[in-house]
Amino acid sequence: DIQMTQSPSSLSASVGDRVTITCRASQSVSGYLNWYQQRPGKAPNLLIYTASSLQSGVPSRFSGSGSGTDFTLTISSLQPEDFATYYCQQSYTTPRTFGQGTKVEIK
Amino acid sequence: QVQLVQSGSELKKPGASVKVSCKASGYTFTSYALNWVRQAPGQGLEWMGWINTNTGNPTYAQGFTGRFVFSLDTSVSTAYLQIRSLEAEDTAVYYCARGETSGCDYWGQGTLVAVSS
């Protein structure tokens, strides 16, 4: 199975900050890497698919990059509604493994 | 609009079975795979597997073989997750989610399955 490792596991940031979360795969997943946001008590929400494509309806402050084994999710200017947990997931092969999550908290 | 609506919370005793439903609307049911994802209390997301809504063929992740069964009723655009011989460790929120290689773009609201004697 492909292992997905996110860093950091948590971070504290202020409104307006630029935030970067990384995701590393244990082997190449080509460009098949997706990012989700999950707020407490809610279902996950797809933000970015295939590494860098912005899902419809998602604000443009979210962006994704990378290929192969190393990927990044960037929030250009953190907004109050962005405080949540973020997960990467590879969809290159089954099982479609998730990272362990990165919790973004208010500083 | 696309919706996945799941059945309500369940409280079960160890050894019992449970069947969670996921009813799709707003799109052609057989055009997209259906995934199942587990989230234990306070934990991350765990991909359980998926079912091909065209063929009915399920694929299970390791750790979800044997007691877990994915099925469909395409006549009512509904997918099902059955868990047999429930254990306390099965206590979790279970999500269905539509999608394949481009990620899961629509999710059900989640179904809490609590297992307790």
Side-chain angles (χ1 to χ4, degrees), chain B residues 49-85:
Chain B
W50 67 285
I51 187 164
N52 184 318
T53 53
N54 253 315
T55 65
N57 184 48
T59 299
Y60 300 96
Q62 229 174 3
F64 296 100
T65 56
R67 297 190 299 115
F68 298 82
V69 179
F70 305 151
S71 61
L72 301 172
D73 185 343
T74 55
S75 69
V76 289
S77 300
T78 301
Y80 300 94
L81 163 65
Q82 183 175 24
I83 311 173
R84 301 167 177 158
S85 302

Side-chain angles (χ1 to χ4, degrees), chain B residues 6-7 17-22 35-38 48 60 64 67-72 78-84 93-96 111 113:
Chain B
Q6 298 184 224
S7 49
S17 294
V18 69
K19 196 169 188 178
V20 175
S21 66
C22 170
N35 300 261
W36 289 96
V37 176
R38 182 171 78 176
M48 301 172 64
Y60 300 96
F64 296 100
R67 297 190 299 115
F68 298 82
V69 179
F70 305 151
S71 61
L72 301 172
T78 301
Y80 300 94
L81 163 65
Q82 183 175 24
I83 311 173
R84 301 167 177 158
V93 174
Y94 293 84
Y95 293 101
C96 61
T111 296
V113 175

Side-chain angles (χ1 to χ4, degrees), chain A residues 53-87:
Chain A
S53 297
L54 189 68
Q55 175 67 6
S56 176
V58 173
S60 58
R61 64 180 178 273
F62 292 94
S63 63
S65 64
S67 66
T69 60
D70 293 301
F71 299 87
T72 299
L73 173 70
T74 299
I75 310 172
S76 61
S77 178
L78 201 64
Q79 298 301 299
E81 59 269 31
D82 301 337
F83 291 95
T85 300
Y86 294 84
Y87 295 91

Side-chain angles (χ1 to χ4, degrees), chain A residues 36 38 42-43 49 91 95-96, chain B residues 39 44 47 95 101-104 108:
Chain A
Y36 301 87
Q38 187 180 33
K42 299 296 186 182
Y49 61 96
S91 50
R96 301 203 190 287
Chain B
Q39 188 166 39
W47 189 80
Y95 293 101
T101 54
S102 296
C104 294

Side-chain angles (χ1 to χ4, degrees), chain A residues 20-63:
Chain A
T20 298
I21 299 168
T22 63
C23 178
R24 175 163 287 176
S26 60
Q27 63 191 76
S28 176
V29 298
S30 187
Y32 293 100
L33 191 285
N34 312 303
W35 290 97
Y36 301 87
Q37 176 193 67
Q38 187 180 33
R39 297 188 178 109
K42 299 296 186 182
N45 182 46
L46 179 65
L47 300 175
I48 302 287
Y49 61 96
T50 55
S52 59
S53 297
L54 189 68
Q55 175 67 6
S56 176
V58 173
S60 58
R61 64 180 178 273
F62 292 94
S63 63

